[in-house]
């Protein structure tokens, strides 16, 4: 598990996880730039090495929710919630539990579903 997560201010309101290197390998930069297809490719590649990394799962769930794959997004958020919680560091220096991010993602999906009815 990678414990060097930093979150960018995008997406879920709390942020999207990003490894603490100059180059992001979690798809967050692509998500922030609006290139969801590139984000999904980057995340898929990283998940081969880190299949249950919460930052990757949360970012992929976010991509899925933004591309109307809500069932897949829910599933990934639940995977995060089913695993032990990890604190992730936000860009502004705050930390947020992965469970809080996943829960917020699920709430946003529920709101998205209600809004489309």
């Amino acid at each position: 598990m990678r414990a060097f997560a930093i979150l960018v201010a995008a997406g879920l309101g709390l942020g999207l996880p990003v490894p603490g290197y100059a180059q992001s390998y979690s798809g967050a930069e692509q998500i922030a730039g609006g290139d969801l297809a590139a984000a999904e490719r980057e995340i898929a590649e990283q998940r081969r090495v880190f299949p249950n990394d919460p930052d990757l799962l949360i970012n992929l769930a976010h991509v899925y929710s933004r591309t109307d794959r809500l069932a897949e997004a829910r599933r990934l958020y639940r995977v995060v919630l089913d695993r032990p919680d990890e604190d992730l560091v936000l860009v502004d220096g705050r930390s947020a539990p992965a469970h809080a991010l996943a829960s917020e993602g699920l709430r946003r999906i529920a709101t998205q579903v209600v809004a489309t009815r």
Side-chain angles (χ1 to χ4, degrees):
M1 219 52 79
R2 291 179 291 177
F4 47 83
I6 297 176
L7 303 173
V8 297
L12 297 175
L14 290 175
L16 296 171
V18 175
Y21 292 117
Q23 171 67 39
S24 167
Y25 296 101
S26 69
E29 289 175 353
Q30 294 91 343
I31 292 169
D35 192 347
L36 300 178
E40 188 169 351
R41 285 189 303 272
E42 180 68 35
I43 294 165
E45 184 177 321
Q46 290 301 308
R47 285 194 68 212
R48 286 186 211 126
V49 179
F50 305 104
N52 293 306
D53 200 354
D55 57 344
L56 297 173
L57 294 170
I58 289 168
N59 284 355
L60 186 56
H62 181 73
V63 167
Y64 285 167
S65 71
R66 298 237 340 246
T67 55
D68 295 322
R69 293 179 277 174
L70 302 180
E72 293 99 326
R74 273 190 219 94
R75 183 185 63 76
L76 290 177
Y77 286 132
R78 288 184 183 123
V79 168
V80 172
L81 292 171
D82 287 343
R83 300 188 51 77
D85 202 5
E86 294 183 33
D87 280 338
L88 304 174
V89 179
L90 304 174
V91 168
D92 64 7
R94 295 179 300 141
S95 65
H99 285 185
L101 296 171
S103 295
E104 177 63 21
L106 286 171
R107 278 191 289 280
R108 286 186 180 266
I109 288 172
T111 302
Q112 193 174 342
V113 169
V114 170
T116 60
R117 288 184 183 181

